[in-house]
């Protein structure tokens, strides 16, 4: 029963309540900040509860004085939280976006405008008191939301302060004459609920080359992705050229001159080589002359790309794709170039060439972060190194000091007793062979024919005697020799490119044969043809199975070859991304499942239970053998390149093949893991009694395990024989090895 004019007088009389709320709220905000920022949202939530209660009392007030008093509480409470909220906003919003943050906070008033319009409309139908009462649950919801912010406010404030401190550090360093191009402080990264990086500190001076080394799964690639803007840090600060770019999106990061070369997956496979190179110049599309000059320079560095300009990038070999990825990065004129796995899948001669290019880029002003599994390769270009393990920095200092830290450079996955000695011997043989360029013992370079005669591979009685009939299924014959695999005259063309040119070879039972050759020589194509993933234009493939019979595999599909005992690994670790490590290995044991009846499985009969128990018992044995316990329940797409490689090896062991094709097994594996891989391959050969064919660019590793080596170039076999004979061959040295000793001896002692 208060008139319109009286309501105005009452509102004016209650205005001092706003001043009271402001005078109370300001010192409270100061005290709460001193005691702990997390108390601020709790205080605001508590005041909101009081305001909600005041709304309820105001709506149900029986007398005018009580309504006036409660209205004063509402006004004072609303003003009371204002300075407290703005203090919280000022602390949790980075300075560079503070005005934008305040503007965003103001948007939270808009829902209130809509809600009050609804309440006003309802007042005419449900009554004024009931409509006013609806304010209470609104403030209760707000109190719950603000209270929840208390869980994050400390982290938010720490991030803002950390970013400010990092920028101040960069400015101080520059005043001292030291230019920090990149500075990372307390970087933490999570993938869902799995934390990968833990408070990582990393910095690099302008014009410096820094090696980022570490064990498989240590977080090296994740750190590069955080710098590049591909993953968002959960904590920490990233300062580039004095500017905060902690949460800068990847396209803006690239625009600032930060370029990342990803390991193994850096091209668009459906586009041609020419189109990939054209896309690389997108950021500089207005600088036509630069793009032309840079593209010509890349094609001079990698002539094989010029030959395949109009072919799909997906048809290139793994090493050629890595060349294309590096070429695309060079076109972008980066200020900071981050190379993830420089030597991944590349021949020693190419790696030696790239090391020279990296130095040239540094001399031209490009700052470089080099992630490399081989300490030997990293030592040749970087003077400073960071070593990571389990998401933390374990070492920072001169790269040469790493060799004196066996506690850091150790094998994590593979237990390689005697690995160091074996790989050291292999490195010594490999490097000495190339360094000396000595002729073979008989005074002439060994040829493929002489190598074959020495080991008896060319004798008729040592070859598999099985001829294919003119039609019908391939005949089978009992093996009269110890040959396990024979390849006769394989031919394959991709358009005008010769991938395999009349390749013939034999592999004995229990023999390890190593394959070397430049990128694009046809090594992977040969393995694809043998395993049934690549249709051939001519030739035959014969294999002796465990039952002693000879099978013609030429026209048999890949799954039949697998059942006959042919195992295969791939360069890129082709695993099931949505399965855990445990499930992936279990799938590899499918051939060992005792009960495969789907009806029995649906009914979960006792025989099925026993069969599954046997499978998972074997899975646990393999996990323990490969030291994969920490990754048992992780999805394979969450693993690093090297970690996936270890899982891939476990799956191969589960298959128990009699002929095993390993395509660059050390690719992406840390140097100490590679040194332990040699004894593991010997152990696999001995336990399975398998013949092993290995494509590998790590010459010390290959030399230490191979009974015989075969060198290929341009799709043909150019030399074969003992490791010493093959690495002496002038054709192998010219086309493949080069003269960079670190690139040749990627593992083993550099001495």
């Amino acid at each position: 029963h208060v008139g319109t004019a009286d309501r105005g007088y009452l509102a004016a009389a209650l205005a001092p309540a706003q001043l009271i709320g402001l005078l109370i709220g300001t010192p409270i905000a100061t005290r709460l900040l001193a005691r702990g920022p997390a108390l601020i949202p709790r205080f605001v939530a508590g005041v909101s509860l009081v305001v909600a209660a005041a709304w309820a009392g105001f709506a149900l007030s029986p007398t005018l004085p009580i309504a006036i008093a409660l209205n004063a509480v509402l006004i004072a409470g609303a003003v009371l939280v204002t300075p407290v909220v703005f203090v919280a906003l000022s602390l949790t919003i980075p300075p560079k976006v503070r005005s934008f943050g305040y503007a965003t906070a103001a948007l939270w008033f808009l829902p209130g405008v809509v809600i009050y319009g609804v309440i006003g409309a309802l007042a005419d139908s449900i009554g004024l008191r009931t409509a006013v009462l609806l304010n209470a649950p609104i403030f209760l919801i707000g109190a719950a939301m603000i209270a929840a912010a208390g869980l994050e406010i400390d982290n938010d404030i720490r991030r803002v302060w950390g970013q400010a401190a990092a920028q101040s550090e960069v400015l101080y360093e520059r005043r001292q004459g030291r230019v920090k191009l990149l500075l990372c402080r307390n970087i933490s990264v999570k993938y869902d609920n799995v934390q990968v990086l833990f408070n990582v500190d990393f910095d690099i001076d302008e014009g410096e080359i820094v090696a980022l080394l570490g064990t498989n799964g240590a977080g090296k690639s994740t750190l590069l992705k955080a710098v590049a803007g591909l993953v968002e840090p959960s904590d920490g600060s990233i300062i580039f050229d004095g500017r905060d770019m902690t949460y800068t999106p990847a396209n803006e990061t690239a625009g600032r001159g930060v370029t990342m070369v990803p390991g193994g997956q850096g091209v668009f496979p459906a586009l041609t080589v020419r189109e990939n190179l054209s896309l690389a110049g997108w950021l500089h599309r207005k600088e036509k002359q630069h793009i032309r000059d840079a593209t010509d320079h890349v094609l001079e560095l990698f002539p094989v790309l010029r030959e395949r300009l109009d072919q799909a990038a997906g048809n290139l070999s793994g090493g050629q794709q890595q060349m294309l990825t590096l070429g695309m990065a060079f076109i972008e004129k980066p200020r900071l170039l981050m190379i993830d796995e420089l030597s991944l899948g590349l021949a020693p001669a190419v790696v030696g060439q790239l090391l020279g290019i990296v130095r040239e880029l540094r001399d031209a002003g490009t700052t470089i972060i080099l992630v490399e599994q081989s300490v030997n390769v990293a030592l040749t270009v970087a003077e400073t190194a960071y070593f990571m393990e389990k998401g933390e920095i374990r070492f920072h200092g001169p790269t040469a000091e790493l060799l004196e830290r066996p506690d850091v450079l150790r094998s994590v996955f593979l237990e390689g007793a005697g690995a160091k000695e074996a790989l050291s011997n292999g490195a010594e043989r490999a490097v000495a062979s190339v360094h000396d360029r000595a002729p073979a013992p008989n005074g002439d370079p060994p040829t493929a024919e002489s190598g074959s005669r020495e080991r008896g591979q060319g004798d008729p009685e040592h070859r598999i005697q099985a001829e294919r009939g003119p039609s019908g299924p391939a005949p089978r014959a009992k093996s009269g020799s110890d040959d396990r695999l024979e390849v006769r005259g394989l031919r394959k063309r991709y358009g005008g490119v010769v991938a395999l040119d009349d390749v013939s070879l034999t592999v004995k039972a229990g023999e390890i044969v190593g394959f070397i050759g430049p990128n694009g020589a046809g090594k992977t194509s040969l393995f694809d043809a043998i395993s049934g993933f690549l249709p051939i234009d001519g030739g035959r493939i014969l294999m002796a199975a465990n039952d002693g019979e000879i099978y013609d595999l030429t026209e048999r599909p890949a799954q039949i070859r697998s059942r006959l005992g042919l195992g295969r690994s791939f360069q890129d670790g082709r695993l099931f991304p949505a399965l855990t490590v445990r499930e992936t290995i279990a799938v590899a044991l499918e051939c060992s499942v005792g009960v495969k009846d789907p009806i029995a499985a649906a009914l979960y009969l006792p025989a099925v239970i026993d069969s599954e128990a046997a499978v998972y018992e074997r899975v646990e044995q393999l996990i323990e053998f490969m030291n994969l316990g920490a990754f048992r329940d992780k999805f394979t797409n969450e693993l690093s390149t090297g970690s996936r490689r270890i899982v891939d090896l476990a799956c191969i062991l589960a298959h128990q093949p009699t002929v095993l094709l390993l395509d660059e097994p050390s690719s992406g594996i840390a140097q100490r893991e590679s040194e332990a891989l040699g004894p593991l391959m010997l152990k696999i050969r001995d336990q399975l009694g398998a013949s092993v064919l290995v494509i590998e660019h790590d010459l010390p590793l290959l030399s230490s395990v191979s009974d015989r080596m075969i060198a290929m170039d341009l799709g043909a076999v150019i030399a074969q024989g003992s490791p010493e004979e093959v690495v002496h061959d002038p054709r192998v040295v010219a086309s493949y090895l080069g003269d960079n000793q670190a690139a040749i001896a990627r593992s083993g002692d550099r001495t």
Side-chain angles (χ1 to χ4, degrees), residues 296-327:
D296 290 340
H297 183 55
V298 168
L299 295 178
E300 290 175 4
L301 293 174
F302 307 116
V304 68
L305 297 182
R306 187 186 298 275
E307 299 172 6
R308 308 189 70 171
L309 269 176
D310 296 315
Q311 295 186 21
N315 291 337
L316 302 179
S317 69
Q320 291 169 345
Q321 291 186 28
Q322 183 76 341
M323 295 178 193
L324 178 57
T325 303
L326 290 167

Side-chain angles (χ1 to χ4, degrees), residues 38 47 124 195 213 221 234 248 284 327 332 345 368 372 514 680 750:
V47 173
D124 297 332
Q195 187 163 350
L213 311 169
S221 297
S234 57
T248 302
H284 308 284
E332 292 190 25
I368 298 171
E372 180 56 55
L680 178 64
R750 297 182 78 241

Side-chain angles (χ1 to χ4, degrees), residues 3 25 49 75 86 97 169 174 218 235 310 315 371 377-378 414 474 483 581 589 595 600 615 618 626 671:
L49 292 175
I75 295 173
F86 275 89
V97 293
E169 182 178 348
R174 291 191 172 186
D235 203 353
D310 296 315
N315 291 337
V371 172
V377 171
L414 306 178
D483 288 337
V581 169
L589 285 163
V595 179
V615 167
R618 177 61 176 155
M626 303 299 291
Q671 177 169 320

Side-chain angles (χ1 to χ4, degrees), residues 274-292:
R274 189 190 305 275
E275 291 166 340
N276 273 273
L277 294 174
S278 177
L279 276 177
W282 172 255
L283 292 175
H284 308 284
R285 55 191 178 278
K286 296 181 180 179
E287 305 174 37
K288 304 296 185 183
Q289 189 60 44
H290 161 72
I291 294 177
R292 285 193 293 269

Side-chain angles (χ1 to χ4, degrees), residues 172-184:
Y172 175 79
E173 292 287 341
R174 291 191 172 186
R175 282 195 289 270
Q176 301 300 315
R178 297 183 293 270
V179 180
K180 293 288 184 186
L181 182 65
L182 176 69
L183 187 141
C184 302

Side-chain angles (χ1 to χ4, degrees), residues 186-203:
N186 299 315
I187 299 298
S188 296
V189 174
K190 296 180 179 179
Y191 293 121
D192 297 326
N193 295 323
V194 179
Q195 187 163 350
V196 178
L197 296 182
F198 300 85
N199 302 320
V200 171
D201 290 340
F202 182 89
D203 56 76

Side-chain angles (χ1 to χ4, degrees), residues 214-220 341 373 388 390 412-413 631 640-644 646 667-671 673:
T215 57
N216 296 116
K220 306 182 295 297
E341 304 287 4
Q373 298 292 6
M388 296 185 65
K390 297 182 179 179
V412 175
F413 287 110
F631 302 89
S640 67
T641 301
S643 301
R644 289 197 301 272
I646 303 301
S667 175
I669 296 180
Q671 177 169 320
E673 307 292 348

